Amino acid sequence: MAGGSAGKITVLHGPNLDRLGTREPEIYGTETLESVNREIRALAESLGYTIEIRQTNQQGEMIEHLRWADGDSVGIILNAGAWTHTSLALREAVRGLRVPAIEVHLSNVYAREPFRRTSVIEDLVAGKILGFGKESYLLAVRAIDSLHRRKTRRP
Amino acid sequence: MAGGSAGKITVLHGPNLDRLGTREPEIYGTETLESVNREIRALAESLGYTIEIRQTNQQGEMIEHLRWADGDSVGIILNAGAWTHTSLALREAVRGLRVPAIEVHLSNVYAREPFRRTSVIEDLVAGKILGFGKESYLLAVRAIDSLHRRKTRRP
Amino acid sequence: MAGGSAGKITVLHGPNLDRLGTREPEIYGTETLESVNREIRALAESLGYTIEIRQTNQQGEMIEHLRWADGDSVGIILNAGAWTHTSLALREAVRGLRVPAIEVHLSNVYAREPFRRTSVIEDLVAGKILGFGKESYLLAVRAIDSLHRRKTRRP
Amino acid sequence: MAGGSAGKITVLHGPNLDRLGTREPEIYGTETLESVNREIRALAESLGYTIEIRQTNQQGEMIEHLRWADGDSVGIILNAGAWTHTSLALREAVRGLRVPAIEVHLSNVYAREPFRRTSVIEDLVAGKILGFGKESYLLAVRAIDSLHRRKTRRP
Amino acid sequence: MAGGSAGKITVLHGPNLDRLGTREPEIYGTETLESVNREIRALAESLGYTIEIRQTNQQGEMIEHLRWADGDSVGIILNAGAWTHTSLALREAVRGLRVPAIEVHLSNVYAREPFRRTSVIEDLVAGKILGFGKESYLLAVRAIDSLHRRKTRRP
Amino acid sequence: MAGGSAGKITVLHGPNLDRLGTREPEIYGTETLESVNREIRALAESLGYTIEIRQTNQQGEMIEHLRWADGDSVGIILNAGAWTHTSLALREAVRGLRVPAIEVHLSNVYAREPFRRTSVIEDLVAGKILGFGKESYLLAVRAIDSLHRRKTRRP
Amino acid sequence: MAGGSAGKITVLHGPNLDRLGTREPEIYGTETLESVNREIRALAESLGYTIEIRQTNQQGEMIEHLRWADGDSVGIILNAGAWTHTSLALREAVRGLRVPAIEVHLSNVYAREPFRRTSVIEDLVAGKILGFGKESYLLAVRAIDSLHRRKTRRP
Amino acid sequence: MAGGSAGKITVLHGPNLDRLGTREPEIYGTETLESVNREIRALAESLGYTIEIRQTNQQGEMIEHLRWADGDSVGIILNAGAWTHTSLALREAVRGLRVPAIEVHLSNVYAREPFRRTSVIEDLVAGKILGFGKESYLLAVRAIDSLHRRKTRRP
Amino acid sequence: MAGGSAGKITVLHGPNLDRLGTREPEIYGTETLESVNREIRALAESLGYTIEIRQTNQQGEMIEHLRWADGDSVGIILNAGAWTHTSLALREAVRGLRVPAIEVHLSNVYAREPFRRTSVIEDLVAGKILGFGKESYLLAVRAIDSLHRRKTRRP
Amino acid sequence: MAGGSAGKITVLHGPNLDRLGTREPEIYGTETLESVNREIRALAESLGYTIEIRQTNQQGEMIEHLRWADGDSVGIILNAGAWTHTSLALREAVRGLRVPAIEVHLSNVYAREPFRRTSVIEDLVAGKILGFGKESYLLAVRAIDSLHRRKTRRP
Amino acid sequence: MAGGSAGKITVLHGPNLDRLGTREPEIYGTETLESVNREIRALAESLGYTIEIRQTNQQGEMIEHLRWADGDSVGIILNAGAWTHTSLALREAVRGLRVPAIEVHLSNVYAREPFRRTSVIEDLVAGKILGFGKESYLLAVRAIDSLHRRKTRRP
Amino acid sequence: MAGGSAGKITVLHGPNLDRLGTREPEIYGTETLESVNREIRALAESLGYTIEIRQTNQQGEMIEHLRWADGDSVGIILNAGAWTHTSLALREAVRGLRVPAIEVHLSNVYAREPFRRTSVIEDLVAGKILGFGKESYLLAVRAIDSLHRRKTRRP
């Protein structure tokens, strides 16, 4: 990847994720979102990508972030938090994407309340990674790298 | 980890996976199980692990493989195929495990028939990775490496 | 209707409709929202109405648009997009309206995913028109005209 | 449309609609079916179409009317009454149509009993118009006109 | 059975089957009902049976055909079309039969819409044959022949 | 009621009831419909009513019988047979009645198949009598007599 | 019936029926239970029966009344009120009866709340009469008379 | 508590509550939100508390109000309006609270539409008060006072 | 309230509440019913009411207590315990009340087993208060006081 | 256990069990409750226990028997009859017990009506024995003996 | 087809079918599997086919038989017994087949327990034949012959 | 029974039971299967029976064990583990048994996950014993002894 970025990866964090580190640490750990973001950035850059990371509690904002990311990224990593389970407006926004999105969760959502078993976007994303804490994001970075290499036929 | 293995990773493939490469290539691709296994092995060894890989069409055998793996592995990668959706006997076997298991699927099971949306083991595993083809297994190897490092506090 | 407007018609477009023309053209066509709006305006004015048209991705905004429209319009044409199917807050806002609202959809929502079969506002609107593309809006303009004439007993 | 009809529009009224004007006037109004038909005919002819209107309480008859209409009309306006909600034989007949059909209801069926929320033909028709009384039929005439113009590329 | 018929077989075709050959040929093929009937008749006669074949779009007629057939046939082959899935009146008529009836479908109804998975007569018939196109009827003729031989102990 | 009839009672029998006496005698007994009708007539006349009794296997016919009866009877006794459980078109016809209707069944429908537990007209009739064989009709005659006396304030 | 009773009829009223005449008169009327009982008694005696009538708000008491009635009555008329819908203990008591029981309701329970559509005893009784106010009981007396005559072959 | 506040109580009103007094007065009364707030404030201050009251139609805003209130209040009174029934993002925000929240509704939500029977936060709050109009809020102020006294062991 | 009682408040405790203080103290606390009753009485009297408090394990008794209370109280506080969730007989008794009843629970029933989420009386009471331990009763006393003042227009 | 009882075992029989021997002998046999009780007593005494046996048709009574038994018995054998399937008040009483209870049924409840498949106490008892007629009780006596020995560490 | 086989037909019998003739003879008859196989073989050979017949109680074995049959047969006749209703692993194996499979049952599964109404393979097979005892297999042989002739265009 | 065995009892343990003592000891205890088997054997022999005990993780094997046991045992004790809840093939095997089978579970399956509440064999066995640990098996031995004595009329 000499002399240039392999492209941009966009990471979108949904509602309440700005409280990471203080909200329910027994489930989500004590690391802050900022610290997690640093690790995501480090890995992405080590693989030759630039990265853009956004958090929002406004659903309309996430819908617009998705649209912008669709124009200038090679892949999107999406942790839509509680919106994952019911937001059809978000679903509509994901459905129109031309670049692959990956659904990510910090915790194993299947080992928690039943409502977390439903995702309204899961049939529209390329794949899903969950249960590994911040590592879920890092694996998603690698997954996008893999998808991108396959498409651009880079080794 | 100078002068020795970081431990063993066990990979278990369930029913019909021996037909990989010929069965429904539009979903599962044309690469054979053997070829996928080679890549899993290569990555695991590059990270310092030994690896054991099994495929079986006999549910009882998988139950016993799980038990054996529990005794001598640092983590288990489990693609239980169609058993994932209904086999409570398999669930019982997974529930008693002391080492972390990761549920893996080649395809995005959520974008296919409704029965694939049910997994009877998903609340018992450490995490779940799906939709990336053979890359799903490779990411799972990295996930086990990450879980193992955290536990043994290796950087 | 000599020498004055028959009243104002308000048209409200919900989330993702600003992407009309680029999002899934095989379903929604290639015409932009702007172009559709032009036709709505032309028909409304030819029938003697003034018109106000709004699009928003913010649910709170639509709730407020509804309230304002209730005060100064003779009827409301509402395409609430994905909010149609689940937003009870929107339902609350529609329930209190004093002027008739008409639910409109570009596509035949009944020929698509099952979740589109649910509308949380359909029992509160005057009527429903769907499946005719931009023509759905135009028919809705005529429907409001008809309701308004009946009420004001104009021929 | 100088020098000839733009084509024929067929209107089919289902069971109990011959009682219009006497049956539950608080829901269906006091106008008779004959009077409604006159307005439909007037509008259709003003748009350049000939029109054929049938009412029947015999399901088999409606099935045959549909078949005949399919052969010689440019569009079908269908108010199947209570058959809308359960008749799969009617559904079969609608499914095979080559010209567009439009589902029409006098009242807002979604504001009434739950069984009216089900339509076994709604995914097969071009579109659906409901809640505007006799105006529902008139809007449907315009909708067919619009569909027909688009197809024959008349302005 | 020298010098005489082994008995009469009655074949009843339900609604929309008179459109065979033109309705959805990708599912039902291009052969007409008349042509299918000719083959049924040929096989039945070659096995020593006389045959009566009826098609109707009137449910009441089918109920009466069933009653008449019950009096003078050795078996009934019944393709009730869409009535199969919901008509309890038909069920009542089938329940009282003294001769065996066989439920037949041209297409594999289980590979199509979910509503086709329900048959309100399937627990009342002797057996069920489906998915083989016109061959379904021919196999049913043989099945009745087999049932009849067993009963009359002919080899 | 000196010198004249107290009014007309209409009795409507639905599909398959013409087979009474031969169809499933273990449930419905061996008496024919004609014989049952004679007893109904005798009781009605002894109470001062004229009577009209109809049986039909054509749903459209029953809908029209209902309408006619509504015009010239003091009450309607309705055994709609299998149509009771699913026919919404019949429901529509019953809903518009101005004279009371009574739902009647020969057998105890609640002690039989589950589908018989549903009646789509039961919330629209004055009352329901079932389980007493032909006596169910006779009790219904008395019930109409009672309703009629109460209305006309005859002792 | 010269010189003796045709037998005893037992009438059991369940919970809240002692409030008849004051509780929700718009549904149950203004006549008291005592007054209704008088009419039941008069009819029964005119037909040659003795009668025993009980009301209780204690479920255990009704269970015991049923048992006693089973020993010395020719039939039981049972209005179990709200217990009808859920009491399995009552069901058990009804199931063991050797004489016929008739389920009776004052109002048309099917035209009211959904929970009233369930009866846990309806498959165990001889028949069911409902919707005619106090007349429901009177018809039930006649029904028992009819059942009893049939059994004892009295004209 | 001499010479100082017992602490702050936060009151959060959700969507459409700013229309109080004009929206559906037959359900919500004619008093405005401002007037209700005055009474809440008066009671809270009379009990020694300071009070902060917010209304918003933006869900993200309410999520952030909850977080701020968690830091500086002794209790939260929450009327989330229509969001109560479906918003999982709100649920997530409530789940992480360290101070008690009380769910409040003006009307008896259980006597209205079925969707109001579901609350996605009700298992996370300390208690629930509903049906008393503005008094619901006043009782909630007392409830927080009681919870706070118990915790700080004031009489 | 000089010179007389404002009226009587009746408090009814249902089954198992006599075990308060010993049954599951981790949920219900260690205070006895007697002690709770003392506080209720004290508050009611301080507000100028007389009070009557009853506990019963016999459902029939509670039904009768309700009727008596209806005659001589200004309001009823009802903790029906486990009967709340299924007893339709109790529902019937509550439905006929002329004075307001308030449903009260000690614990937050929504944070416990699913069956506690159903109340068969909740749509019939004036309001509902739950989750505050004995304080739930005290708030209910205040709620009745508020309802009573509003009705009698006392300040 | 020289010179004294090992403790008391309490056996509680629910509604309708006093009819044992006459009620549905094809299911419950012809032996009376008295005779069954004699065998239970004999076995219990032979194992060194005293025994108390109660039958009641009053649910409140059973709730109180449970409470008393909890104070002075080493275990409770409970056949709650039809109350097993729905009585939440009974469930509440069982939940607070400190000594083990065993759920017992004479017949195999799973081979009968579906409602018998539900037990509202089965998750609260120590174990469940059913299907062996009176032997079910005798096995339960042995089960309590076993539980008691384990606890008191007697051989 | 001169001088050679038309191809091989494979017949697979699932679990418990080896008990044919002794297991529930009132349903399955007294003929053994061996005897049924002889007739299948005779018919197949008379039509010019070779035949291979397997029975197994091991699901893994059936999966492998399917795969082998797919390679060397012109069609597969499959009676998967109880696996039909739930085995998704079997479904996976059937889905990949390149030659047509026919689902066969000895008895009319729709006239038995409800669980038999579900088949997890029925949408994947060419057709389904059931209810004719051993004749079901013989008809299936003819069906495969018909499918094969059509494909190879033999008369 | 002088000088010989009363017959053979067969005990079948299903999947994962070979892990007893190590798998989830907090639920299943620390005793091994071998030790449990010793106690079963001792009790059976003390009652005069010979015993055969099998454990298998292969469902096909259990089906065959059942068949063999049916031929040479007086009763079967069956702990089918997780197969209990879903295996219809096992159900088929149990259904054909001529000797009584008893369903046994170590733990109280009703106090655990919901899926354990379903047993596909419970309506086919003689009875069910569960919740008493190894004692469940011992009670089952006594139950078979009791059934066998009753049948052979030994005291």
Side-chain angles (χ1 to χ4, degrees), chain B residues 16 18-19 23-24 57 82-83 85-86 112-113 115-116, chain K residues 58 60-61 63-64 67 88-89 91-93 95-97:
Chain B
N16 293 306
D18 45 347
R19 292 165 69 198
R23 178 174 65 129
E24 301 176 291
N57 291 325
W83 296 334
H85 313 304
T86 58
R112 300 174 65 195
E113 303 97 318
F115 70 77
R116 293 188 203 273
Chain K
Q58 306 290 345
E61 253 181 54
I63 287 169
E64 281 160 28
R67 195 169 326 161
L88 296 176
R91 177 185 166 83
E92 291 295 273
R95 208 179 47 192
L97 294 176

Side-chain angles (χ1 to χ4, degrees), chain B residues 97-114:
Chain B
L97 294 176
R98 279 159 308 201
V99 299
I102 295 180
E103 184 184 335
V104 162
H105 300 282
L106 290 159
S107 64
N108 180 352
V109 290
Y110 298 107
R112 300 174 65 195
E113 303 97 318

